[in-house]
Amino acid sequence: YLDGTTIPLDPWGQAYEYYYPGTHGQTLEIISKGRDGEMNTQDDVVSWSTEAGGAAGPGAGGGEPKG
């Protein structure tokens, strides 16, 4: 749920990464870099996986970033 025109930050105060088209079989993919703020690390939170702590992994960010 978005209230207004402001895009919220992730729980660690960082901007989400948006990719369209996605690179993992999704039309749109959203990534939080997690607590460490680094992409492709164990604490990444990704829209294409329901596993806790799933890293973005190789190929993440292959689409056009939107955020």
Side-chain angles (χ1 to χ4, degrees):
Y1 172 76
L2 297 177
D3 186 20
T5 59
T6 303
I7 298 173
L9 299 175
D10 74 7
W12 298 277
Q14 302 295 318
Y16 288 98
E17 298 278 330
Y18 297 86
Y19 294 95
Y20 177 84
T23 61
H24 293 86
Q26 306 296 314
T27 301
L28 170 70
E29 295 174 356
I30 303 170
I31 302 168
S32 165
K33 297 176 193 173
R35 181 180 302 273
D36 67 5
E38 300 284 330
M39 186 72 98
N40 297 323
T41 58
Q42 189 63 33
D43 68 341
D44 293 353
V45 180
V46 298
S47 62
W48 62 88
S49 175
T50 58
E51 294 181 31
E64 180 180 336
K66 297 292 183 186

